[in-house]
């Protein structure tokens, strides 16, 4: 009896030894049913994992290199744009044509101070409030940081303000536009050429000896047809020359929001800022003509 028990306990022993074929078949079928039941029970107890949705495909090495290259380019553009306002020594900066004064606020914050910054807008108090509801807050922040904000300043008649004459190291106008809604393309272009001509002539009289004029423009038409480089030279009898062109970087000025001359509109203003991200340039003009022949207007 003891010998028989040892044989049954032996794990290497064939469990079907001594059984007939029909008995072996029945035992195997029963075992399969047990295995299925155990698997079903385990599946019911296990936590359910939701299928992954919209997961980005892993980047290839080529895509990673392109992403890094693009990031470096954006950083380079940001540094170049900010460098335009990194001037050593005491100096003054005049911003004209400010809409909601968000660029002025951003400039003060990037520089850490509003000292020497004079931000001006064409509209009066009532019109400004109607067109740009956030302008009052922006102006307040500029002044809190030591800057100055002025209204009803005409960019084509800057020299009429006695204190402005020969006073500024930088005069900057971002995206000049009349906002008149002229449908005739050639008439619209002519009106803007005249606007910019008067601006350059007036701005020249307000620059100090080392002064520069910055004008930011969107790319493409109708802006290309305004011929800004030729205008600057012609309007100033050859005194102002193109010194350089850098990309306009939205990332360089956190909080800056482009606004149309006609005022803020929830539908259009967001699209305008997105347009700048697609491509805009800052043209820099000064009295020195060295190297101008190497620069071309796009």
């Amino acid at each position: 009896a003891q010998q028989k028990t040892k044989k049954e306990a032996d794990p290497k022993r064939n469990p079907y030894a001594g059984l007939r074929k029909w008995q072996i078949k029945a035992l195997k079928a029963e075992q399969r049913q047990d295995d299925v039941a155990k698997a079903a029970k385990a599946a019911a107890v296990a936590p359910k994992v939701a299928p992954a949705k919209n997961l980005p495909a892993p980047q290839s090495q080529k895509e990673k290199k392109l992403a890094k290259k693009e990031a470096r380019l954006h950083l380079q553009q940001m540094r170049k744009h900010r460098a335009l306002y990194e001037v050593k020594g005491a100096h003054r900066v005049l911003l004209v044509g400010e809409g909601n004064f968000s660029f002025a606020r951003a400039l003060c914050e990037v520089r850490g101070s509003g000292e020497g910054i004079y931000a001006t807008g064409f509209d009066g108090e009532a019109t400004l409030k109607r067109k740009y509801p956030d302008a009052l807050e922006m102006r307040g922040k500029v002044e809190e940081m030591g800057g100055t904000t002025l209204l009803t300043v005409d960019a084509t008649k800057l020299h009429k303000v006695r204190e402005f004459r020969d006073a500024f190291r930088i005069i900057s106008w971002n995206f000049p536009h009349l906002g008149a809604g002229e449908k005739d393309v050639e008439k619209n272009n002519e009106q803007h050429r005249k606007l910019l001509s008067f601006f350059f002539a007036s701005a020249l009289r307000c620059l100090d000896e080392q002064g520069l004029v910055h004008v930011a423009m969107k790319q493409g038409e109708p802006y290309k047809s305004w011929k800004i480089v030729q205008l600057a030279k012609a309007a100033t009898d050859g005194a102002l020359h193109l010194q350089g062109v850098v990309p306009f970087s939205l990332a360089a000025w956190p909080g800056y929001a482009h606004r149309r001359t006609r005022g803020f509109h929830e539908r259009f203003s967001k699209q305008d800022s997105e347009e700048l991200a697609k491509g805009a340039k800052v043209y820099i003009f000064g009295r020195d003509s060295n190297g101008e022949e190497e620069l071309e207007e796009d």
Side-chain angles (χ1 to χ4, degrees):
Q2 289 181 356
Q3 189 177 5
K4 184 178 180 182
T5 303
K6 286 182 180 179
K7 287 182 179 179
E8 290 175 353
D10 185 0
K12 295 182 180 180
R13 181 176 174 272
N14 185 355
Y16 304 119
L19 298 178
R20 295 183 179 182
K21 287 184 179 181
W22 67 270
Q23 291 175 315
I24 294 173
K25 188 175 181 181
L27 284 172
K28 286 185 176 181
E30 186 178 346
Q31 185 63 44
R32 283 195 297 271
Q33 289 178 352
D34 288 343
D35 291 342
V36 172
K38 287 178 181 178
K41 186 177 180 181
V45 174
K48 294 182 178 180
V49 180
K53 293 181 179 180
N54 300 325
L55 289 178
Q59 286 186 317
S60 65
Q61 288 299 319
K62 184 178 181 181
E63 289 172 331
K64 288 180 180 178
K65 286 182 179 179
L66 287 174
K68 287 182 179 180
K69 184 177 180 181
E70 187 174 350
R72 285 196 299 269
L73 178 62
H74 284 305
L75 181 60
Q76 185 182 43
Q77 291 176 349
M78 184 182 77
R79 288 173 175 168
K80 282 185 177 181
H81 197 175
R82 285 186 176 179
L84 296 180
Y85 295 91
E86 294 171 0
V87 182
K88 294 181 180 180
H91 64 280
R92 295 175 180 173
V93 175
L94 177 64
L95 305 179
V96 304
E98 284 287 287
N100 66 343
F101 288 80
S102 61
F103 182 82
R105 182 203 58 78
L107 177 60
C108 291
E109 291 192 349
V110 168
R111 286 165 59 115
S113 169
E115 184 179 357
I117 294 177
Y118 293 77
T120 70
F122 178 76
D123 298 312
E125 195 82 47
T127 304
L128 185 73
K129 184 177 180 180
R130 175 178 55 82
K131 289 168 65 174
Y132 312 108
D134 56 346
L136 182 62
E137 179 186 357
M138 298 293 179
R139 290 176 64 200
K141 289 182 178 178
V142 170
E143 292 172 358
E144 283 175 12
M145 298 189 72
T148 301
T149 64
L150 301 169
L151 302 181
T152 64
V153 175
D154 188 337
T156 66
K157 299 176 181 179
L158 299 174
H159 63 285
K160 298 285 187 180
V161 182
R162 184 182 302 174
E163 293 79 7
F164 284 4
R165 297 172 193 165
D166 305 314
F168 298 100
R169 181 65 51 85
I170 297 170
I171 297 177
S172 177
W173 194 354
N174 290 324
F175 309 105
H177 202 283
L178 287 167
E182 176 59 58
K183 301 297 182 183
D184 186 288
V185 175
E186 188 48 46
K187 188 178 291 186
N188 178 68
N189 287 340
E190 185 57 36
Q191 289 174 350
H192 283 91
R193 292 188 196 109
K194 185 179 293 186
L195 171 73
L196 288 166
S197 293
F198 287 149
F199 163 68
F200 282 121
S202 183
L204 177 64
R205 299 175 64 178
C206 299
L207 294 175
D208 65 18
E209 292 181 358
Q210 304 173 55
L212 297 171
V213 177
H214 301 172
V215 180
M217 303 271 284
K218 294 179 184 178
Q219 292 182 266
E221 296 293 353
Y223 315 103
K224 187 175 180 179
S225 294
W226 297 355
K227 302 294 183 182
I228 187 173
V229 175
Q230 292 91 327
L231 276 178
K233 186 183 290 187
T236 60
D237 293 327
L240 287 180
H241 304 265
L242 183 67
Q243 305 293 299
V245 182
V246 302
F248 187 97
S249 171
L250 274 175
W253 315 108
Y256 169 61
H258 181 54
R259 293 290 182 259
R260 290 190 171 196
T261 306
R262 285 181 285 180
F264 173 77
H265 191 291
E266 187 66 39
R267 179 182 174 190
F268 298 115
S269 295
K270 181 180 178 181
Q271 293 177 356
D272 285 346
S273 289
E274 289 174 353
E275 274 186 36
L276 304 192
K278 294 177 183 177
K281 294 183 178 181
V282 182
Y283 295 83
I284 303 102
F285 300 90
R287 293 186 177 90
D288 185 6
S289 62
N290 291 338
E292 183 186 31
E293 63 276 3
E294 299 176 5
L295 299 168
E296 295 182 1
E297 181 179 4
D298 294 332

